[in-house]
Amino acid sequence: IPGTPQTHVKLPPKSKSNKTTKMMVIAAAMSTAWFALFSFLVAQNSEMITVVYAFVLSHLLSFLLAAINANDLLGKGGAPGGAHVTVQMNKVGVMMLSLAALQLFLQLELLEDFSITAVKNEHIREYRALSTISGWLAYDLCYLSKDRMGRMVEHAVVLVLALAFLAKLGAEDLSNSAMATDCIGLWMGYKGILLFWMLTYGHMHANGDHDDDRDDECFDDGIISSTEDETVAITKQDSTDDEDSRCSSEHTAATASSTSASLKEGENKSVEVVDRMTLILPPAQPRPSPEEAELWLIHGKYYNLEKFVHNHPGGSHSILLGKGRDCSALFESYHTFTRQHAAAVLSKYEVPRPSTATCSLDNDGDLKDSVKEEETRDEFYETMKKRVEKRLREVGIDPVKDRCATFSRLAYYSVVSVAVYYTLSKHCQGKILYSFLSGVMGWLIGSMGHDAGHFSVSRIPFVNNVCTWGMLLLCNPIMWQYQHTYGHHSHTNDYELDPDLHHFTIFMRYHRRMIYDKVYKNQQSWFYVILNYTSVTFGECIKIPWGVMLSNDLYGIVHLEKNIPKKVGLCFHYVAYLGGVIVMPFFHANAFQAFACMMIHMITSGLLFACFSQINHINEAAIEPDQSGKWANSWAATQVETSNNFAPHSLFMHVFSNGLNMQIEHHLFPGLNHCHLHHIAPVVKATCEEYGVRYKCYDTWSELFSATLQWLDKLSSASI
């Protein structure tokens, strides 16, 4: 691009290490073993030749697509022998998986061996579908490079399982088996699993795992689009090292962000290519020194509150949440109406700055500069607090004594808790309808867990600690405190410090600072977004907690202290969720029904969780607010401008969304129970308008959801 400074990325040279050689030997051995196993099965069961048909068809489609792409059916220069064909693995995968899905339900006689006799007629469709998948997986395995060992192992396992089913079905006539009912039930259960795998996991692999399609929109003429219109050029010589460069090409966009200063100055520097997942996540926050880990940092001053922990009116759990980190935001937002008293108590425990202090605590962005320093108070927030306190007293609510749940709110918690117990017990018995209802009730009881996580169910700390487990069907309750109460509320939409911006980023892009990946182009489809939302509960209850238990931190952003009771709590919820939601239905129903129960419950709760929480912060106005005015450094103004309200006058929406339709008021006053937020909304809105802070309130849920989809669609482009 004329006039644009370019950085040439030096790709790593081909490795000749013993490790690489060993990996190649393992890959060759795996391929040989699979080929031997397959040949043996074909010899024993002629029906297995159907897999060969699918294998050959995959190759034919690959070469045909490559030729069409090149606008030359005979290849370059019309010479078939010298044709250079790019293998279209991703497109072939989509086509073959779609064909397999159709074969499950339609009488398609494609890829059929007409001599099939052993397979019982009613299982012909399943046999053809699984054969098609096996053939495609075998084709796909042929073109996986040595840097995809994990994918190779995965393919090998799936292939072996698929071949085992095919061989079993082809060799045995189920109608003559004494175990016919059990075998058919198992097969039908596998049919459901097979269909789900094809529609979700398989298609995502086919769409996102391969980088062979060099003429994709974000890989044009050697220039890779990146954020802020910065570019990185790849030299022709480097790009010819096909085996080593095929994966690194998707990562080189990252170098534009990491070398933006060099690009602007016109420097020509070499940039190291690193793993994609390292680029998706923000830089890991440094851990505090051992001395800092025992202190609390508030507005740039250190305090040793160990002697005060058990005397804290909010309980030890809440105050320990700020230990070893900058808890200025926690202090301000949970002492909105008692700040003067809290500051007086706090002053008794001030200690000198530790000699080993690092920048990890006092420079991590918990609050903007105007709030960090005691002498430069946030005028906007101070005015807001006074007006809100006045409003609460006008409606008969003491902002300190009555800030928690009312009697009617407690009654609501109780009714929903009973409903959760009843529907979940029926779900464990394999009742599909109750699996759906338990997903809905699991979402609704999350209102209690959410309020308790903000210490607003009761002024009795023990009650809040117990009620936090209302999150058990949506998220790990222990992890929730660190992820949400501290991380998200202290650093809302801060790319480097808000954990909520980094969930499921392998499939979704929420922020323009995330390095672009080809899979993100799918998020321009609302169906793809919804499909990803169905996995939210799985991630929050299984995938993410597993990583937290192993590393003792969340994405390297929020570090958990080494606390045995909390570690036990993390593990207890993990095991309980796996046992109750996933495993138990299989003891009371056949495989298909139990699998359906598990999926319906998780999909229902996941959709509700995502559709009412993601939209509150994920849209262009909230991700990229205009903070160039007077209140650019105001933490409270940031909370307003990075949050959204919707349907403020709808009682149904307030209840069904667990109060998340009042997100702005909640972020400003998290210690105030959701049942009180409608009283203060007019005051908050008027104050924002007076101070020129943008207060975003959408009339309906669908209007706000559309804004979220528009932002995700915008981020699906490599040019953003």
Side-chain angles (χ1 to χ4, degrees):
I1 301 177
T4 302
Q6 297 182 351
T7 296
H8 294 279
V9 179
K10 292 186 178 180
L11 299 175
K14 292 185 177 181
S15 174
K16 300 296 182 182
S17 64
N18 292 333
K19 182 178 180 181
T20 301
T21 303
K22 184 182 295 185
M23 291 169 65
M24 295 178 66
V25 171
I26 292 174
M30 288 169 55
S31 300
T32 303
W34 184 87
F35 181 77
L37 173 63
F38 176 69
S39 301
F40 173 77
L41 290 174
V42 171
Q44 297 295 317
N45 304 288
S46 59
E47 296 82 7
M48 295 288 290
I49 198 67
T50 310
V51 179
V52 177
Y53 295 162
F55 180 73
V56 173
L57 178 61
S58 297
H59 277 281
L60 290 176
L61 288 172
S62 171
F63 281 86
L64 180 61
L65 288 170
I68 292 174
N69 239 13
N71 295 318
D72 185 354
L73 293 178
L74 294 178
K76 191 177 289 187
H84 177 71
V85 180
T86 300
V87 182
Q88 308 290 323
M89 296 172 71
N90 54 339
K91 296 178 182 178
V92 172
V94 171
M95 295 172 69
M96 295 300 290
L97 286 168
S98 300
L99 176 60
L102 288 174
Q103 287 175 315
L104 276 178
F105 301 102
L106 302 178
Q107 289 288 355
L108 297 180
E109 296 188 354
L110 300 174
L111 308 180
E112 177 188 5
D113 178 22
F114 294 100
S115 65
I116 292 178
T117 57
V119 181
K120 199 176 178 186
N121 287 337
E122 57 262 38
H123 300 298
I124 286 290
R125 297 179 184 179
E126 291 88 341
Y127 187 90
R128 292 173 186 159
L130 193 54
S131 297
T132 302
I133 291 177
S134 297
W136 166 66
L137 286 174
Y139 151 82
D140 204 51
L141 188 60
C142 291
Y143 294 97
L144 289 176
S145 59
K146 60 182 178 291
D147 56 342
R148 299 282 181 95
M149 288 299 296
R151 180 79 184 277
M152 290 182 181
V153 173
E154 174 194 334
H155 272 39
V157 171
V158 175
L159 278 169
V160 169
L161 292 175
L163 289 175
F165 270 102
L166 287 170
K168 181 70 173 177
L169 194 63
E172 182 177 351
D173 185 355
L174 296 180
S175 62
N176 298 325
S177 172
M179 302 296 291
T181 302
D182 291 341
C183 288
I184 292 174
L186 177 61
W187 178 250
M188 291 304 294
Y190 185 74
K191 177 181 177 181
I193 297 172
L194 177 64
L195 179 61
F196 178 77
W197 186 87
M198 285 191 294
L199 292 177
T200 56
Y201 188 72
H203 268 91
M204 287 179 184
H205 265 323
N207 274 302
D209 271 6
H210 307 299
D211 306 305
D212 303 288
D213 191 3
R214 292 287 179 173
D215 35 271
D216 188 84
E217 60 181 73
C218 64
F219 296 91
D220 189 18
D221 298 328
I223 302 297
I224 299 180
S225 300
S226 181
T227 60
E228 300 180 5
D229 298 324
E230 296 164 359
T231 57
V232 179
I234 303 179
T235 62
K236 297 293 183 181
Q237 182 177 358
D238 288 334
S239 62
T240 58
D241 292 335
D242 193 44
E243 284 299 314
D244 285 324
S245 66
R246 62 185 299 175
C247 289
S248 58
S249 63
E250 69 175 316
H251 305 325
T252 51
T255 59
S257 299
S258 62
T259 60
S260 57
S262 300
L263 292 174
K264 292 177 180 178
E265 295 171 8
E267 296 178 4
N268 194 11
K269 294 184 178 181
S270 298
V271 183
E272 182 181 1
V273 178
V274 295
D275 182 69
R276 171 185 171 239
M277 287 308 298
T278 303
L279 298 170
I280 287 177
L281 295 175
Q285 298 301 308
R287 292 182 179 272
S289 65
E291 192 175 358
E292 284 180 299
E294 299 299 318
L295 303 176
W296 285 254
L297 178 64
I298 302 174
H299 295 305
K301 298 179 180 179
Y302 287 86
Y303 301 88
N304 188 336
L305 300 174
E306 286 292 346
K307 296 181 180 180
F308 179 68
V309 165
H310 296 290
N311 295 323
H312 183 235
S316 59
H317 182 73
S318 59
I319 195 172
L320 288 174
L321 196 60
K323 184 179 181 180
R325 56 183 118 246
D326 186 339
C327 54
S328 303
L330 290 177
F331 175 78
E332 290 293 340
S333 57
Y334 287 99
H335 297 91
T336 49
F337 308 115
T338 59
R339 193 190 185 286
Q340 186 174 358
H341 172 73
V345 173
L346 195 63
S347 63
K348 301 176 183 179
Y349 299 94
E350 184 178 353
V351 296
R353 179 184 178 88
S355 58
T356 57
T358 67
C359 63
S360 62
L361 293 184
D362 56 356
N363 192 31
D364 66 354
D366 277 295
L367 292 180
K368 303 297 183 180
D369 293 340
S370 64
V371 184
K372 275 179 177 286
E373 297 301 329
E374 199 70 38
E375 61 272 16
T376 54
R377 303 291 299 281
D378 187 341
E379 178 188 341
F380 169 67
Y381 198 27
E382 291 301 312
T383 302
M384 179 80 73
K385 289 190 290 186
K386 292 177 181 178
R387 293 178 179 180
V388 166
E389 180 177 3
K390 179 181 178 182
R391 174 57 182 165
L392 289 173
R393 293 189 184 279
E394 287 176 352
V395 296
I397 299 174
D398 187 306
V400 177
K401 296 180 180 179
D402 302 327
R403 65 177 182 82
C404 297
T406 60
F407 178 80
S408 59
R409 183 73 167 171
L410 293 173
Y412 172 76
Y413 295 154
S414 301
V415 171
V416 177
S417 297
V418 172
V420 168
Y421 174 79
Y422 180 76
T423 57
L424 190 61
S425 64
K426 293 294 184 181
H427 160 79
C428 292
Q429 297 173 21
K431 308 292 185 181
I432 292 181
L433 174 61
Y434 287 98
S435 296
F436 168 75
L437 293 176
S438 65
V440 175
M441 293 301 143
W443 160 248
L444 292 178
I445 197 59
S447 62
M448 181 181 74
H450 187 200
D451 287 337
H454 290 291
F455 323 110
S456 65
V457 167
S458 171
R459 294 183 66 197
I460 303 174
F462 175 77
V463 174
N464 286 323
N465 293 343
V466 172
C467 290
T468 302
W469 284 77
M471 293 297 300
L472 84 169
L473 294 178
L474 300 175
C475 178
N476 190 297
I478 303 299
M479 184 183 76
W480 177 257
Q481 292 291 91
Y482 294 91
Q483 168 192 320
H484 182 78
T485 307
Y486 170 72
H488 172 63
H489 272 261
S490 295
H491 319 285
T492 310
N493 280 4
D494 185 320
Y495 178 75
E496 294 186 353
L497 297 166
D498 185 355
D500 283 1
L501 287 179
H502 303 283
H503 299 322
F504 318 110
T505 49
I506 191 171
F507 296 126
M508 298 278 284
R509 185 186 186 203
Y510 304 111
H511 199 288
R512 70 169 68 239
R513 287 183 61 185
M514 287 178 58
I515 304 306
Y516 184 80
D517 189 83
K518 291 168 66 176
V519 73
Y520 296 147
K521 66 184 178 183
N522 295 312
Q523 69 186 46
Q524 60 188 295
S525 166
W526 66 267
F527 178 77
Y528 179 84
V529 174
I530 293 295
L531 186 62
N532 277 278
Y533 281 177
T534 62
S535 65
V536 166
T537 300
F538 172 82
E540 292 282 4
C541 291
I542 297 177
K543 181 182 181 298
I544 302 174
W546 177 255
V548 172
M549 287 189 289
L550 293 178
S551 64
N552 216 47
D553 67 36
L554 188 60
Y555 307 131
I557 298 176
V558 180
H559 306 300
L560 280 68
E561 67 270 19
K562 295 180 179 180
N563 185 299
I564 294 179
K566 290 182 179 179
K567 196 83 170 180
V568 171
L570 274 169
C571 297
F572 174 77
H573 175 267
Y574 197 87
V575 174
Y577 187 87
L578 284 175
V581 173
I582 296 178
V583 176
M584 283 299 292
F586 287 89
F587 286 96
H588 298 90
N590 62 54
F592 176 75
Q593 187 172 339
F595 179 78
C597 287
M598 175 189 72
M599 294 307 302
I600 289 172
H601 172 90
M602 296 179 70
I603 288 173
T604 301
S605 58
L607 278 175
L608 290 171
F609 193 6
C611 288
F612 283 118
S613 61
Q614 290 285 303
I615 63 173
N616 286 314
H617 301 286
I618 306 298
N619 59 53
E620 186 167 10
I623 293 289
E624 299 180 344
D626 181 12
Q627 294 184 301
S628 58
K630 178 180 179 181
W631 308 109
N633 293 324
S634 167
W635 175 83
T638 299
Q639 297 301 303
V640 174
E641 298 198 351
T642 56
S643 303
N644 302 278
N645 285 5
F646 63 91
H649 304 298
S650 171
L651 177 61
F652 169 79
M653 196 57 72
H654 182 71
V655 173
F656 198 64
S657 70
N658 288 346
L660 298 185
N661 65 325
M662 298 280 186
Q663 193 73 352
I664 294 176
E665 288 73 21
H666 170 59
H667 267 255
L668 289 171
F669 302 94
L672 198 63
N673 192 282
H674 279 84
C675 64
H676 302 306
L677 296 181
H678 67 282
H679 293 300
I680 69 172
V683 174
V684 172
K685 182 178 181 180
T687 305
C688 289
E689 291 175 350
E690 178 183 338
Y691 280 81
V693 177
R694 188 180 179 188
Y695 183 96
K696 303 181 298 300
C697 184
Y698 295 79
D699 293 333
T700 63
W701 173 88
S702 59
E703 186 181 348
L704 179 53
F705 186 61
S706 295
T708 298
L709 292 178
Q710 289 171 12
W711 174 240
L712 294 177
D713 177 53
K714 186 174 183 178
L715 290 180
S716 68
S717 171
S719 61
I720 301 300

